Amino acid sequence: AALLLAIGRLGAAPEVSVVAPLAAHADARLRAAAAIALGDLGGVLARERLLDLLASPGDDPEWAVRGAVMLALAKGGVREDAGTILVAYRDGDGAKRWFARAALATAVAALDTDPVPILDRLAADDDARVSSAAVAAFARAGRPEEVVKRLADPRVGVRAAAAAAVGQAGLVAAIPRVRALATGDPDRGVRLSAALALSRLDDPTGDALLVEALDADDPAVWTLALVELRRRTGLLIGRDPGRWKAELAARRKAAAR
């Protein structure tokens, strides 16, 4: 499977003939990897094989294969494939599987001429993996205003997903609204998501919030803060708020010179 993914990333259209037969392999993991590789390789033949695999995925109870096909078609499909994907999703009970719902968000963002109604529904999904994918998909669909609008959504999961999507998409104009969430939202998960987004947007407010999070009692909170600080700096300081505060301040001062 790893080799197939590498071929997809590094290969070109001629490799489609090598990868395509593996889309019929007995192992679902290899079929899914072949689908991803075909999406990366692109071209008419790759798209045709992906559509065949969507229609006849073999044993695929968890939607691993069909979900991979949808992600691949998001890269190598055409507008008319949106309808085909929706039919396969409906007829195959994709709504019952989180990966199918998350993959659908990515696919409709890339292919559907009006993805907002579907993405709006998926953004309210109870599974954070789905809601995050859906809100991020608004930005990929060229609808950043839909992301920003959901920062004020009454649903906690949607606000958290919207804050994360603002950071991922680099929507710097939304920084003031994300700051408000990071410091004033009643939900801790939303506040943390917003703090992480501010860090990704390189906003100084995020520095203090991440350092503060290192003192949290919840291991999930301080671990996320530590991972983000390490991503930002490449340093392995550990859970030491004082050292992190000094390091971040020094970096800000150096950058301002």
Side-chain angles (χ1 to χ4, degrees), residues 207-212 214 229 232-233 237-253:
D207 295 355
L209 293 171
L210 289 179
V211 170
E212 180 183 335
L214 293 175
L229 288 167
R232 282 260 311 276
T233 65
I237 290 176
R239 193 182 172 194
D240 187 331
R243 288 185 64 191
W244 277 116
K245 182 177 180 179
E247 176 64 31
L248 293 173
R251 286 171 178 256
R252 292 286 178 193
K253 185 175 180 180

Side-chain angles (χ1 to χ4, degrees), residues 85-179:
I85 288 171
L86 289 170
V87 170
Y89 176 83
R90 180 196 64 201
D91 293 349
D93 288 330
K96 295 180 179 179
R97 301 295 178 186
W98 78 264
F99 184 52
R101 302 194 303 276
L104 179 66
T106 299
V108 297
L111 303 174
D112 199 325
T113 55
D114 184 17
V116 172
I118 293 175
L119 292 180
D120 184 57
R121 184 177 73 248
L122 294 172
D125 198 281
D126 290 335
D127 192 313
R129 294 169 294 188
V130 179
S131 60
S132 296
V135 177
F138 279 121
R140 288 196 296 273
R143 307 290 183 92
E145 71 282 359
E146 296 290 342
V147 178
V148 175
K149 179 168 46 174
R150 283 160 179 79
L151 292 171
D153 195 283
R155 296 161 293 191
V156 167
V158 176
R159 293 200 304 280
V166 166
Q168 291 166 7
L171 303 180
V172 294
I175 284 177
R177 295 186 62 176
V178 177
R179 281 187 195 137

Side-chain angles (χ1 to χ4, degrees), residues 198-213:
L198 289 173
S199 177
R200 289 187 172 274
L201 293 167
D202 198 30
D203 184 73
T205 307
D207 295 355
L209 293 171
L210 289 179
V211 170
E212 180 183 335

